[in-house]
Amino acid sequence: MEDLGTYAENTWCPGCGNFAILNAFKAAIGRLEEQGIGRDRIVLVAGIGQHGKIFDYMNVSGFYGLHGRSMASAQAIKLANPDLKVVDFVGDGDALGEGLEHTIFAAKRNADITMILHDNGVYALTTGQYTPTSARGYRGPSTPTGTVEDPIHPLPLMLEAGASFIARGYSGELEHLTDLMVQAVLHEGFSFVDVLQPCVTFNNTWREYNQLVEITDRTATTPEEARAIFSRTDRLPIGVLYRRDDVPFHRRLYEDFNPVRDKEPREARQRRVAQFLGVPEEPEREYKGPRERP
C-alpha cells in the first residue's frame, strides 16, 4: 500500500504505537477495496494531537477538525453524502476531554461513522499532561505528584451512550487491528474502536499491555454481557466486544432520500431560496430572437 503514503515527514517517536494504527489502516483500505469500497468513498477526519498527524501521512481525502470537535465535522460529512465511509481518528484527550459531548451524541444517534481512538492515556503533543484515560497516580507536567483522579473507561461509556459496535484493539497486534478496522467500517451504525497505544516517551505501557492483552472471539449481544467483558481486570480482552443491529441516524432522518442522488436542479434550489428570503420572482421574458445590429 505504498501509494497511500504522502510526502510529509513522519515526526512520531520511534516505537510509537501510532505507526501500527497507520499501517493497520492502510492495510484495511486495501481489504475494503477488495470488497468494492474504493478509497474515493473513504473520508478521514482527525482532531488535534499526535494522533491527528495520521491525516498528513495518508493519501486519502479528509478534513482536520478543531480540537475535540472532529466528530462534528464527521457527522456533517456523513449527512451531506451518506454514500461515504467516514472514519474519525481521535485521541483520548481530544475525544473524551474537549470533545466528550460530541462523542456521546454521535454514539447516541448511532451515526454511521467509525471512530478510532488512539488511547495512550496522555497528551503527548503538549509533552505529557494527564488525560481522561490516564491511570490514577500518573505523573506528568501538570500532575508531578500523581493524578488523584480515576480514569474514564471508554468501552462502558460508549455502551451506555448507545454505540452499536464496540471493539478494542492493540497496536502490538497489527493484523488483528486491521481486521477490527475493516469490520468497524463495514458496520452500519456508530462503530467505536478503542486502540491501546503506548506512548514510548511519556506513558510507555508496552510491558503492561503485552502481559494483559488477550484476543477474544466472544462478542456480546446484550448490554449485560458487554458489561461483564468490560469489567474484567485480570486481562484486557481485544476484539469486537459488543455488536447490535440498529437503524443508523441518516436513515432515521432521511429514510430513502439521498441528498446527493436526489437533489433538485439548480434552478429549483435557487427558486426555493428566493421564496425563503421573500425575493419576488422575475417574470419570464418573451424571447424575441437575436437583436438586429443597427
Side-chain angles (χ1 to χ4, degrees):
M1 303 305 295
E2 187 66 27
D3 60 336
L4 278 171
T6 69
Y7 61 85
E9 178 186 2
N10 194 309
T11 57
W12 287 331
C13 300
C16 175
N18 282 329
F19 285 101
I21 298 175
L22 172 65
N23 291 327
F25 194 67
K26 285 182 177 179
I29 288 180
R31 288 177 53 183
L32 290 167
E33 287 181 322
E34 291 172 1
Q35 299 188 45
I37 299 175
R39 67 187 67 176
D40 59 330
R41 286 183 55 203
I42 298 173
V43 177
L44 307 189
V45 186
I48 302 301
Q50 288 289 359
H51 76 277
K53 296 177 182 177
I54 196 169
F55 179 53
D56 297 333
Y57 308 145
M58 292 282 293
N59 188 19
V60 177
S61 297
F63 187 83
Y64 259 126
L66 298 174
H67 197 188
R69 272 66 178 174
S70 60
M71 180 50 72
S73 303
Q75 291 183 79
I77 292 169
K78 183 67 185 182
L79 288 178
N81 187 350
D83 290 335
L84 297 175
K85 295 290 186 183
V86 184
V87 182
D88 189 13
F89 289 91
V90 297
D92 46 285
D94 181 58
L96 302 178
E98 290 87 348
L100 180 60
E101 181 181 351
H102 295 290
T103 301
I104 288 176
F105 273 77
K108 169 182 174 293
R109 296 179 178 123
N110 197 32
D112 188 17
I113 292 167
T114 296
M115 172 179 269
I116 297 178
L117 179 69
H118 297 230
D119 190 358
N120 61 7
V122 69
Y123 283 102
L125 188 68
T126 49
T127 68
Q129 294 82 6
Y130 80 106
T131 73
T133 62
S134 299
R136 186 171 179 175
Y138 169 80
R139 296 172 182 266
S142 59
T143 53
T145 59
T147 172
V148 297
E149 299 178 22
D150 289 320
I152 284 177
H153 294 290
L155 304 185
L157 177 67
M158 289 295 94
L159 178 70
E160 300 304 329
S164 54
F165 180 107
I166 300 174
R168 180 162 56 194
Y170 174 41
S171 56
E173 294 286 351
L174 196 148
E175 291 187 12
H176 183 261
L177 181 58
T178 299
D179 183 62
L180 294 181
M181 290 176 172
V182 171
Q183 292 189 63
V185 172
L186 292 176
H187 176 76
E188 193 173 37
F190 189 79
S191 51
F192 177 79
V193 184
D194 178 26
V195 184
L196 303 176
Q197 176 243 313
C199 170
V200 293
T201 302
F202 300 110
N203 193 23
N204 194 342
T205 49
W206 281 113
R207 178 176 297 180
E208 175 188 353
Y209 289 156
N210 284 336
Q211 292 175 345
L212 294 176
V213 162
E214 178 180 85
I215 295 176
T216 179
D217 294 329
R218 180 185 173 191
T219 301
T221 56
T222 67
E224 292 76 19
E225 293 174 348
R227 291 187 190 102
I229 298 174
F230 299 164
S231 63
R232 286 187 62 179
T233 55
D234 58 324
R235 308 294 290 174
L236 289 171
I238 60 173
V240 180
L241 304 180
Y242 174 74
R243 173 185 275 167
R244 65 180 169 81
D245 294 327
D246 197 0
V247 180
F249 180 62
H250 68 277
R251 292 196 187 282
R252 297 182 196 176
L253 194 65
Y254 293 146
E255 296 183 348
D256 294 330
F257 176 76
N258 184 306
V260 175
R261 183 190 62 217
D262 304 324
K263 67 180 180 182
E264 293 180 309
R266 179 183 177 86
E267 294 74 15
R269 285 182 278 135
Q270 288 178 329
R271 188 158 52 245
R272 284 163 59 87
V273 171
Q275 290 173 348
F276 178 77
L277 297 176
V279 178
E281 292 187 37
E282 292 187 6
E284 293 187 10
R285 296 176 179 173
E286 182 182 356
Y287 179 67
K288 298 181 179 178
R291 294 181 180 177
E292 294 183 1
R293 294 180 181 274

